[in-house]
Amino acid sequence: MRRDEDRTDDFEERVTHALRGASDEFPPHSADLVNRSVARGRRMRLLGAARIAAAAVTVVAVGGTLMATDALGTWRGTGGRLGAEAPAGAPASSGTASSAQAPSSISGDEMVRILKSLLPPGGTVSAASGRGSRSDGPDVWPTARLTYSTAAGSSGVDISIARPASGLPADQQGASGCLPVEARPYDKCTTRKLPGGAVLSTTESFTYPSSDTGQKRWYVVLTTAGGAQLTAQEFGGGGEKGATGGADPLLSTAQLTAIVRSPAWNRAIDALPARDTAPGDPARTDRADGARLTRVLRSHLPRGTVSDINSGAGMVQLVHDDGRGRNMVEADVQYDMTPLLARHMGCAGVPDDCEAGTLPDGTRIKRVRTRSEKGGPASVWLVDTLRTDGRRVTVREINSYAESTPVTRPRPELSLDRLQEIALDEEFFAS
């Protein structure tokens, strides 16, 4: 009779094997995943805050007090707690499978063999594994990963090859491959166009992108003129999250670039299935496209420099520096929000400096000063507006270039009156 501990060991081994097999079937992250996640997260944060009346930056709590403006448009409150203010001067993609099948396939062993052949001589390889493409069944993007070691140390290296969904608007594709500073504040990223129409992005970052310490992660993304995307990444000290030190990866970004540009991957590229369109997004992009929002927001900013623009359907985020420190500003535009927000544009339950009310034209307004929801020292100022026809514009700013970074100025640059002026601009909407 088998002992209980034997059965337990067998069970644990089967579960481990099953989990490993399931994880191998997951496709790699799409190149625009972070950008789309940031945009969707912002929209969901605004929606969720309205539903649950959470005491956060974008919270919209039950209740409210009547506010009004005088003939000059100066904010006056009949119960708010703020006085009036003067205006201030990656890498591969998944998605719905296409009906068109790839004309050929490549095995995981071949992917590993190619990656090994492109590594510098003199090192050793361990923990190698690969995944091939399929000529039938669900899409699986070919990948290879391994640990490369020399006398100087070790690096985890992997590559993935895919074809991102086509049809995404340009303003949702990211800054030519460089992810927004809001999501990756410590990235050092450059992007350049190559002869023939390919685009190459090179990034030096960290495994945990909200910190500028710990294991380093370097990666390059090559998007070919034909729409294929090759991503090679490397983790200093070993595999991903396998080291805590700050050692540089063994391969330079130039060497990673040579790997993704090698013609040895042509067979894997040829095996990729076609992509017709991107997954649908119900957002009304015809009246809130990123280019318009960027233009309108910039028109309200004082003299200074603008950088790190990240825009998409219904949102724009940028960094403005008036010479006294960088300041992140963003605007979000939504439609048909009255059912969600009609009863939730007040200050009740908000443990921050807050005032709320209604303008003569019926527009509901909420003005909040609070701390960063990420727990850092940054201050966040916000004006939330809801028009009678359901259009909503929220404008917020942070006295830093990202919420998770140290403050770059003592207080946010723009007053609440200026934020309100921006939020009430009808130019955010198409005529």
Side-chain angles (χ1 to χ4, degrees), residues 95-102 137-139 141 163 272-277:
T96 305
S98 168
S99 59
Q101 299 298 331
D139 294 344
W141 307 122
R163 191 183 307 281
L272 295 175
R275 276 285 180 252
D276 297 323
T277 57

Side-chain angles (χ1 to χ4, degrees), residues 11-174:
F11 175 74
E12 292 176 350
E13 183 176 348
R14 291 196 303 272
V15 170
T16 301
H17 179 76
L19 290 174
R20 184 180 298 113
S23 66
D24 287 343
E25 291 301 311
F26 280 104
H29 301 309
S30 65
D32 63 340
L33 174 63
V34 173
N35 233 28
R36 290 187 287 109
S37 296
V38 169
R40 177 173 174 77
R42 183 182 290 114
R43 290 195 295 266
M44 296 304 294
R45 181 181 61 191
L46 294 172
L47 287 167
R51 290 190 183 103
I52 65 176
V57 163
T58 51
V59 69
V60 187
V62 178
T65 53
L66 184 63
M67 313 295 289
T69 58
D70 58 22
L72 298 177
T74 304
W75 180 266
R76 292 187 294 107
T78 60
R81 299 196 296 273
L82 291 179
E85 294 192 329
S93 134
S94 61
T96 305
S98 168
S99 59
Q101 299 298 331
S104 61
S105 62
I106 188 170
S107 70
D109 289 341
E110 290 175 289
M111 290 291 295
V112 171
R113 179 182 56 78
I114 295 172
L115 180 57
K116 285 182 177 180
S117 72
L118 298 175
L119 295 173
T124 60
V125 170
S126 61
S129 64
R131 182 175 63 197
S133 59
R134 288 179 179 170
S135 58
D136 58 355
D139 294 344
V140 175
W141 307 122
T143 63
R145 67 180 58 187
L146 51 80
T147 299
Y148 175 73
S149 303
T150 68
S154 299
S155 283
V157 183
D158 63 68
I159 186 167
S160 60
I161 303 176
R163 191 183 307 281
S166 61
L168 283 175
D171 62 7
Q172 295 184 46
Q173 298 276 357

Side-chain angles (χ1 to χ4, degrees), residues 159-162 220-224 228-232 260 262 265 269:
I159 186 167
S160 60
I161 303 176
V220 298
V221 181
L222 175 70
T223 304
T224 70
Q229 196 162 77
L230 296 87
T231 300
V260 297
S262 171
W265 302 114
I269 294 173

Side-chain angles (χ1 to χ4, degrees), residues 198-276:
V199 177
L200 178 73
S201 296
T202 303
T203 305
E204 295 183 3
S205 185
F206 296 86
T207 300
Y208 296 96
S210 61
S211 172
D212 60 352
T213 60
Q215 186 184 40
K216 293 182 179 180
R217 174 196 178 216
W218 293 354
Y219 61 97
V220 298
V221 181
L222 175 70
T223 304
T224 70
Q229 196 162 77
L230 296 87
T231 300
Q233 64 177 344
E234 181 183 15
F235 297 91
E240 181 179 7
K241 301 180 182 178
T244 57
D248 285 348
L250 295 180
L251 306 183
S252 67
T253 53
Q255 289 172 306
L256 292 177
T257 297
I259 290 175
V260 297
R261 296 189 68 179
S262 171
W265 302 114
N266 286 347
R267 182 179 174 189
I269 294 173
D270 291 341
L272 295 175
R275 276 285 180 252
D276 297 323

Side-chain angles (χ1 to χ4, degrees), residues 106-407:
I106 188 170
S107 70
D109 289 341
E110 290 175 289
M111 290 291 295
V112 171
R113 179 182 56 78
I114 295 172
L115 180 57
K116 285 182 177 180
S117 72
L118 298 175
L119 295 173
T124 60
V125 170
S126 61
S129 64
R131 182 175 63 197
S133 59
R134 288 179 179 170
S135 58
D136 58 355
D139 294 344
V140 175
W141 307 122
T143 63
R145 67 180 58 187
L146 51 80
T147 299
Y148 175 73
S149 303
T150 68
S154 299
S155 283
V157 183
D158 63 68
I159 186 167
S160 60
I161 303 176
R163 191 183 307 281
S166 61
L168 283 175
D171 62 7
Q172 295 184 46
Q173 298 276 357
S176 300
C178 291
L179 299 174
V181 68
E182 181 184 45
R184 309 298 296 251
Y186 298 107
D187 278 12
K188 295 179 181 178
C189 178
T190 59
T191 296
R192 60 190 174 100
K193 292 185 177 180
L194 304 177
V199 177
L200 178 73
S201 296
T202 303
T203 305
E204 295 183 3
S205 185
F206 296 86
T207 300
Y208 296 96
S210 61
S211 172
D212 60 352
T213 60
Q215 186 184 40
K216 293 182 179 180
R217 174 196 178 216
W218 293 354
Y219 61 97
V220 298
V221 181
L222 175 70
T223 304
T224 70
Q229 196 162 77
L230 296 87
T231 300
Q233 64 177 344
E234 181 183 15
F235 297 91
E240 181 179 7
K241 301 180 182 178
T244 57
D248 285 348
L250 295 180
L251 306 183
S252 67
T253 53
Q255 289 172 306
L256 292 177
T257 297
I259 290 175
V260 297
R261 296 189 68 179
S262 171
W265 302 114
N266 286 347
R267 182 179 174 189
I269 294 173
D270 291 341
L272 295 175
R275 276 285 180 252
D276 297 323
T277 57
D281 187 343
R284 295 169 65 172
T285 58
D286 59 325
R287 290 192 288 169
D289 64 278
R292 177 186 298 110
L293 303 190
T294 302
R295 183 176 63 253
V296 175
L297 180 58
R298 293 190 66 164
S299 71
H300 286 276
L301 299 177
R303 180 176 301 177
T305 60
V306 173
S307 63
D308 300 297
I309 298 175
N310 173 42
S311 64
M315 63 76 109
V316 58
Q317 176 257 332
L318 54 80
V319 176
H320 182 260
D321 191 342
D322 60 357
R324 300 178 181 178
R326 288 181 288 177
N327 191 79
M328 194 272 280
V329 188
E330 70 177 60
D332 293 89
V333 176
Q334 297 171 302
Y335 294 88
D336 304 322
M337 296 299 292
T338 298
L340 285 173
L341 301 181
R343 298 181 300 164
H344 304 288
M345 286 294 290
C347 291
V350 181
D352 301 294
D353 290 332
C354 174
E355 56 188 11
T358 305
L359 298 180
D361 65 358
T363 298
R364 302 290 300 275
I365 296 183
K366 185 187 190 78
R367 295 156 46 121
V368 178
R369 287 174 170 174
T370 187
R371 288 290 182 182
S372 169
E373 61 186 9
K374 296 184 181 296
S379 296
V380 180
W381 292 2
L382 171 142
V383 172
D384 196 357
T385 64
L386 178 65
R387 290 164 169 80
T388 55
D389 59 5
R391 294 176 298 166
R392 182 192 196 188
V393 178
T394 303
V395 182
R396 65 194 293 266
E397 63 174 334
I398 303 165
N399 58 335
S400 184
Y401 59 93
E403 286 194 54
S404 60
T405 57
V407 298

